[in-house]
Amino acid sequence: MLLLVRHLTHMRYPAGAAGLALRLKLFPPSFDGQRVIDWHVEIDGEETTHGTMGGYGERFAQWLSHRHHDELEIVAHGRVETEDRAGIIKGLRRACPPEVFLRDTPLTQPDEAIRALGGGLEPGAGALPGLHALSAEVRAALPYRSGMTDSATPAAAALAGGGGVCQDHSHIFIAAARARGVPARYVTGYLLAGDEAYQQLETHAWAEAHVAGLGWVGFDVANGLSPTDHYVRLCTGLDANDAAPLRGIVTGGGPGTVSADVRIARGEGDIEAMQQQQQQQQQ
């Protein structure tokens, strides 16, 4: 499937920002089942390229500015061809060993309730059925409810709160898998969620777990399936903070706000039409 993506991030600083330092993980990789045809990342209209290879085998860009900014616009857009590979990830650049993703973080620290999930999950070549069962358990235990958590909510607090979003489903799944000795990591990407010509979405989140002899396998717990050709895989990390497409440091001025808008279309859609639609909604 051919997917067109436009990801706009708008940063505003009412009191001004004296300097900005950004890390942009906005460059989707090509691998078996995902081929990036063309991709561009522009900051205030000027294109930037990925110049650094991270420890996870993913490229990212670093951007520095020492001049005053009241606002900043970052646009990532391009065309990606996808195939349904039943969530199995092959052909990625080799990077750190899977065992790195056994490491807990403040967002993925398991408690007793999380440790109780995935009772049939065992590490090794036979882990796949247990991982599918764990995904179903997490989805049943945490109904999808927006507004009950935020970006700083740990997995244990989300599970205890009785509701959450894709970030929380992924964190709980990852925490439970790691507690059972199965490496698991957080994935940020894009999802074509329906058949509409254009959609207004945020980035989506899911998890990948490592199965010995098979490799990494994706689990979209929030939707109860493994990623299909409707998904564009962007970047990974130990948790949502680590896999954030955009992180930065601001010096001077006061606090700012960040808003994002993602458009994804199927087939030979019109990127410019997507841009115009975004601009009209902002007016």
Side-chain angles (χ1 to χ4, degrees), residues 256-279:
T257 61
V258 179
S259 60
D261 185 282
V262 173
R263 305 279 171 156
I264 183 166
R266 179 193 299 199
E268 295 291 346
D270 186 352
I271 288 286
E272 293 304 319
M274 298 168 79
Q275 179 183 18
Q276 292 172 8
Q277 196 173 21
Q278 286 175 334
Q279 293 172 343

Side-chain angles (χ1 to χ4, degrees), residues 212-231:
L214 181 61
W216 290 100
V217 182
F219 297 87
D220 182 356
V221 180
N223 287 304
L225 49 77
S226 288
T228 67
D229 55 356
H230 283 60
Y231 291 70

Side-chain angles (χ1 to χ4, degrees), residues 2 6-7 50-51 56 81-83 103 120 122 133 184 187 196 198 203 205 227 239-240 254 261 264 272:
L2 179 63
R6 186 176 186 86
H7 179 181
H50 50 66
Y56 303 147
E81 188 177 60
T82 60
E83 297 178 21
R103 173 186 164 191
E122 297 291 341
V187 183
E196 296 86 353
Y198 298 105
T203 55
D239 56 24
D261 185 282
I264 183 166
E272 293 304 319

Side-chain angles (χ1 to χ4, degrees), residues 68-85:
H68 179 92
H69 289 274
D70 294 315
E71 59 182 348
L72 194 71
E73 183 176 271
I74 302 166
V75 181
H77 63 92
R79 299 179 297 160
V80 182
E81 188 177 60
T82 60
E83 297 178 21
D84 189 347
R85 297 292 182 97

Side-chain angles (χ1 to χ4, degrees), residues 41-275:
V41 177
E42 296 152 6
I43 301 177
D44 278 350
E46 295 186 7
E47 185 157 2
T48 185
T49 58
H50 50 66
T52 305
M53 179 65 69
Y56 303 147
E58 300 170 341
R59 294 191 179 276
F60 65 94
Q62 295 175 306
W63 185 84
L64 301 174
S65 175
H66 298 291
R67 61 185 180 85
H68 179 92
H69 289 274
D70 294 315
E71 59 182 348
L72 194 71
E73 183 176 271
I74 302 166
V75 181
H77 63 92
R79 299 179 297 160
V80 182
E81 188 177 60
T82 60
E83 297 178 21
D84 189 347
R85 297 292 182 97
I88 298 174
I89 307 299
K90 297 288 186 182
L92 279 174
R93 179 187 293 271
R94 292 187 179 183
C96 57
E99 289 75 18
V100 167
F101 294 98
L102 286 170
R103 173 186 164 191
D104 292 330
T105 70
L107 290 175
T108 60
Q109 185 71 39
D111 62 0
E112 289 306 312
I114 289 177
R115 292 181 187 277
L117 296 170
L121 176 58
E122 297 291 341
L128 189 59
L131 288 165
H132 282 291
L134 171 61
S135 178
E137 283 188 59
V138 174
R139 189 167 187 252
L142 192 77
Y144 191 98
R145 295 174 182 163
S146 61
M148 296 188 67
T149 59
D150 58 33
S151 61
T153 302
L159 183 59
V165 295
C166 59
Q167 172 180 296
D168 307 300
H169 290 108
S170 301
H171 280 158
I172 295 168
F173 177 93
I174 289 167
R178 289 174 182 168
R180 300 270 174 182
V182 177
R185 61 192 181 189
Y186 191 99
V187 183
T188 298
Y190 308 111
L191 169 61
L192 180 70
D195 293 328
E196 296 86 353
Y198 298 105
Q199 303 181 64
Q200 182 174 358
L201 301 170
E202 299 175 336
T203 55
H204 190 53
W206 59 95
E208 289 175 356
H210 192 268
V211 179
L214 181 61
W216 290 100
V217 182
F219 297 87
D220 182 356
V221 180
N223 287 304
L225 49 77
S226 288
T228 67
D229 55 356
H230 283 60
Y231 291 70
V232 174
R233 186 182 183 278
L234 183 60
C235 58
T236 60
L238 292 166
D239 56 24
N241 285 341
D242 199 24
L246 177 64
R247 297 189 67 179
I249 298 173
V250 181
T251 59
T257 61
V258 179
S259 60
D261 185 282
V262 173
R263 305 279 171 156
I264 183 166
R266 179 193 299 199
E268 295 291 346
D270 186 352
I271 288 286
E272 293 304 319
M274 298 168 79
Q275 179 183 18

